[in-house]
């Protein structure tokens, strides 16, 4: 296996589908079998509840990873991204194994490997990747790549996998090939998202209910504040939080923390050490906040959920301890300048915050956050809006 190129970085001005197809033809000397895309996601609320068999409420966003792919008659895999002058990365289907791939290539290769583990015959292939999902921003850029690839290969191989099966295949790729102990939320949002809706996912049985979530008709906008503090789910911080949750469930005698109710936390505090209890308390109360948010969206609408977003951030900051100074500053400054609710989003230890903001206050919040970061000596954040978008699909 040759050396992998540097990780993918998203493009400021993404190429059109026609331009991506033309680039594929130039690089590989033939027309792709198709182009597939899958979106990144913002998690509205429900952080670190997925691997505890709990509830989450993400939505797919209007920033996507796209792959142009053509099957080959041999076992060669050739991969190329549109970023930089990395050149084609080449390997072989028969040599794929966990830990052998580096950089962005581990995501498509992990999907191929996971499908092979399921007994699906995957052909050799040529693949060109482009992505507009910011890298390391907590918006699930890696899962967007994986979901685009699994959607393409599901069609090209005739595997006829259900969305739930593709979710589990990409989770296996993340857990066992990439080495990141993630749950199923990100893939579920990317594969099962719908325009104008959040995805209310029960992570125990993968049941999904689409919940209407459109900020603009309510006079609001969803701002994403990318702190530029890069994070990685493959490092020890994420794994240690998951281990604490598993320990808590074991001591409390439940299958997963999903089975612990808020009213039972008093008893739990006497059974767990202080750190493990706080980890447990976050998951239990976060599950409850997800259920409250779903009810409020169905009844009063997006303008009613601000306090729950705020409470979620405090819980992640203090009980789960996965925030950082940049995320806290983004949240605090947004709230002080007109946002009705704000929280970090994603796995933590960096990435992005979201701020649900009245349209009239959008520019004030943007300016205040940029000013606060400059005064603190932090790297300038990237601030942009997102809207709930459709899930993975073939586009050409």
């Amino acid at each position: 296996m040759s050396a992998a190129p540097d990780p993918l970085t998203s493009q400021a001005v993404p190429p059109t589908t026609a331009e991506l197809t033309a680039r594929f033809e130039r690089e590989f000397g033939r027309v792709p079998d198709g182009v597939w895309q899958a979106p990144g996601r913002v998690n509205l609320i429900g952080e670190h509840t997925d691997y505890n068999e709990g509830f989450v409420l993400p939505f797919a966003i209007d920033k996507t990873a796209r792959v142009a792919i053509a099957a080959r008659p041999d076992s060669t895999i050739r991969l190329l991204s549109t970023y930089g002058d990395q050149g084609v990365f080449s390997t072989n289907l028969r040599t794929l194994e966990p830990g052998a791939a580096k950089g962005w290539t581990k995501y498509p290769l992990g999907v191929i490997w996971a499908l092979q583990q399921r007994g699906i015959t995957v052909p050799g292939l040529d693949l060109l990747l482009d992505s507009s999902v910011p890298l390391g921003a907590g918006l699930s850029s890696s899962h967007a790549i994986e979901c685009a690839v699994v959607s393409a290969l599901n069609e090209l191989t005739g595997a006829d996998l259900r969305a739930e099966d593709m979710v589990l295949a990409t989770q296996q790729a993340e857990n066992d090939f990439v080495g990141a102990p993630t749950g199923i939320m990100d893939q579920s949002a990317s594969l099962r998202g719908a325009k104008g809706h959040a995805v209310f996912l029960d992570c125990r049985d993968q049941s999904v209910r689409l919940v209407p979530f459109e900020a603009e008709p309510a006079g609001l906008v969803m701002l994403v504040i990318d702190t530029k503090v890069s994070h990685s789910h493959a490092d020890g911080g994420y794994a240690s939080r998951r281990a604490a949750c598993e320990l808590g469930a074991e001591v409390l005698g439940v299958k997963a923390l999903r089975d612990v109710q808020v009213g039972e936390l008093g008893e739990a505090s006497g059974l767990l050490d202080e750190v493990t209890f706080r980890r447990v308390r976050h998951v239990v109360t976060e599950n409850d906040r997800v259920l409250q948010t779903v009810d409020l969206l169905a009844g009063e609408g997006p303008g009613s959920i601000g306090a729950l977003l705020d409470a979620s951030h405090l819980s992640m900051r203090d009980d789960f301890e996965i925030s950082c100074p940049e995320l806290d500053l983004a949240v605090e400054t947004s709230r002080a300048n007109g946002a009705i609710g704000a929280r970090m989003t994603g796995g933590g230890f960096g990435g992005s915050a979201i701020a649900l903001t009245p349209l009239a206050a959008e520019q004030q919040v943007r300016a205040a956050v940029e000013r606060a970061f400059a005064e603190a000596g932090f790297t300038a954040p990237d601030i942009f809006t997102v809207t709930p978008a459709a899930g993975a699909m073939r586009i050409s």
Side-chain angles (χ1 to χ4, degrees):
M1 184 176 287
S2 59
D6 293 334
L8 174 77
T9 301
S10 57
Q11 304 296 291
V13 181
T16 65
T17 302
E19 290 169 340
L20 193 64
T21 299
R23 171 77 181 272
F24 185 97
E25 291 184 51
R26 290 196 305 272
E27 298 289 350
F28 297 115
R30 59 200 183 112
V31 177
D33 294 331
V35 180
W36 289 260
Q37 74 174 23
R41 66 96 190 93
V42 156
N43 191 19
L44 185 59
I45 197 164
E47 225 64 78
H48 289 265
T49 50
D50 57 347
Y51 55 79
N52 290 292
E53 299 187 13
F55 305 103
V56 293
L57 192 63
F59 61 87
I61 62 174
D62 47 344
K63 293 181 180 294
T64 64
R66 294 175 295 163
V67 291
I69 293 180
R72 297 176 56 92
D74 56 21
S75 59
T76 297
I77 302 171
R78 297 192 296 175
L79 305 176
L80 179 68
S81 86
T82 58
Y83 178 73
D85 186 22
Q86 300 174 347
V88 175
F89 169 69
S90 182
T91 188
N92 193 287
L93 284 169
R94 300 189 184 97
T95 62
L96 292 182
E97 59 182 23
K102 304 296 182 183
W104 70 268
T105 63
K106 62 191 174 187
Y107 303 116
L109 293 177
V111 170
I112 294 169
W113 176 85
L115 292 177
Q116 290 178 321
Q117 299 303 300
R118 283 167 157 68
I120 297 169
T121 300
V122 180
L125 54 87
D126 294 330
L127 180 151
L128 176 63
L129 167 69
D130 176 77
S131 181
S132 61
V133 186
L135 182 69
L139 303 180
S140 214
S141 57
S142 62
H143 290 96
I145 296 170
E146 292 166 349
C147 290
V149 172
V150 79
S151 298
L153 295 181
N154 186 43
E155 181 176 338
L156 291 175
T157 63
D160 198 27
L161 298 174
R162 302 175 305 154
E164 295 90 334
D165 299 322
M166 290 191 283
V167 164
L168 293 177
T170 54
Q171 183 190 26
Q172 183 180 16
E174 280 280 322
N175 291 177
D176 299 336
F177 192 88
V178 176
T182 56
I184 62 171
M185 175 184 69
D186 299 342
Q187 305 96 319
S188 297
S190 188
L191 288 163
R192 306 177 75 178
K195 185 177 181 180
H197 291 78
V199 179
F200 177 39
L201 171 67
D202 183 333
C203 295
R204 172 159 285 171
D205 62 11
Q206 283 207 67
S207 60
V208 159
R209 174 154 60 95
L210 296 176
V211 178
F213 177 70
E214 292 186 282
E216 192 165 339
L220 300 167
V221 63
M222 179 61 80
L223 288 176
V224 174
I225 304 163
D226 178 1
T227 66
K228 300 297 184 180
V229 179
S230 186
H231 73 151
S232 171
H233 283 168
D235 65 17
Y238 191 102
S240 69
R241 298 311 187 277
R242 183 163 185 164
C245 292
E246 292 169 353
L247 173 62
E250 180 182 353
V251 172
L252 297 176
V254 294
K255 182 174 182 286
L257 293 183
R258 143 72 169 274
D259 300 311
V260 181
Q261 304 302 311
V262 172
E264 298 171 327
L265 285 172
E267 181 181 354
S269 67
L271 300 172
L272 300 168
D273 66 84
E274 188 265 339
V275 172
T276 303
F277 172 70
R278 288 192 287 109
R279 305 297 188 249
V280 168
R281 182 168 59 186
H282 164 71
V283 173
V284 173
T285 57
E286 187 80 344
N287 272 323
D288 187 61
R289 284 186 286 271
V290 173
L291 298 177
Q292 290 185 60
T293 301
V294 169
D295 287 343
L296 285 172
L297 288 175
E300 301 174 37
S304 63
I305 68 171
L308 291 168
L309 302 183
D310 292 343
S312 176
H313 183 77
L314 292 177
S315 181
M316 289 184 289
R317 185 191 71 186
D318 299 336
D319 277 353
F320 224 61
E321 296 182 286
I322 54 173
S323 190
C324 65
E326 291 86 350
L327 286 168
D328 292 340
L329 183 61
V331 167
E332 293 160 7
T333 306
S334 297
R335 288 291 285 115
N337 285 274
I340 68 168
R343 64 185 289 272
M344 55 151 283
T345 187
F349 310 103
S352 296
I354 56 173
L356 190 57
T357 304
L359 285 166
E362 177 184 354
Q363 295 309 315
Q364 178 175 323
V365 169
R366 285 176 178 265
V369 170
E370 290 170 351
R371 184 169 57 251
F373 269 56
E375 291 172 353
F378 296 154
T379 300
D382 188 15
I383 305 174
F384 52 90
T385 63
V386 291
T387 57
M393 67 178 76
R394 181 173 182 153
I395 57 174
S396 174

